[in-house]
Amino acid sequence: MSEVFRLLIINPGSTSTKIAIYDNEKPVLEETLRHSTEELSKYSKIYDQYEFRKTLYLKH
C-alpha cells in the first residue's frame, strides 16, 4: 500500500486567496476567494493580511 500525503496549499495573490487540498497529486478541494483592492489597501505588507484572509476563509 502506498503512502498518502495530504497537502494544504495557500496562495495569497494580489486580489485573491487560492486554497487547495491535495491527496498526493489528486486535488480534493480547490477554492478561490476574491478580494477588492480597497480591502487589501489597508495593509502595507502581505503578511499583515494574514488575519483578514484567515478570518474570511474560516467564515466561508
Side-chain angles (χ1 to χ4, degrees):
M1 182 184 272
S2 64
E3 244 181 310
V4 175
F5 292 95
R6 179 152 288 177
L7 305 169
L8 170 63
I9 309 299
I10 302 171
N11 180 359
S14 61
T15 59
S16 68
T17 302
K18 294 179 182 177
I19 298 166
I21 297 175
Y22 287 83
D23 283 347
N24 293 332
E25 296 178 13
K26 180 182 175 198
V28 176
L29 170 86
E30 295 177 315
E31 291 191 24
T32 300
L33 301 176
R34 306 258 177 230
H35 317 298
S36 70
T37 52
E38 184 179 282
E39 289 175 305
L40 297 178
S41 67
K42 300 172 189 174
Y43 308 97
S44 59
K45 298 179 183 166
I46 196 161
Y47 183 79
D48 297 334
Q49 301 169 9
Y50 172 78
E51 285 298 324
F52 164 75
R53 290 178 188 248
K54 180 179 108 176
T55 301
L56 186 66
Y57 181 74
L58 292 174
K59 287 181 179 180
H60 179 68

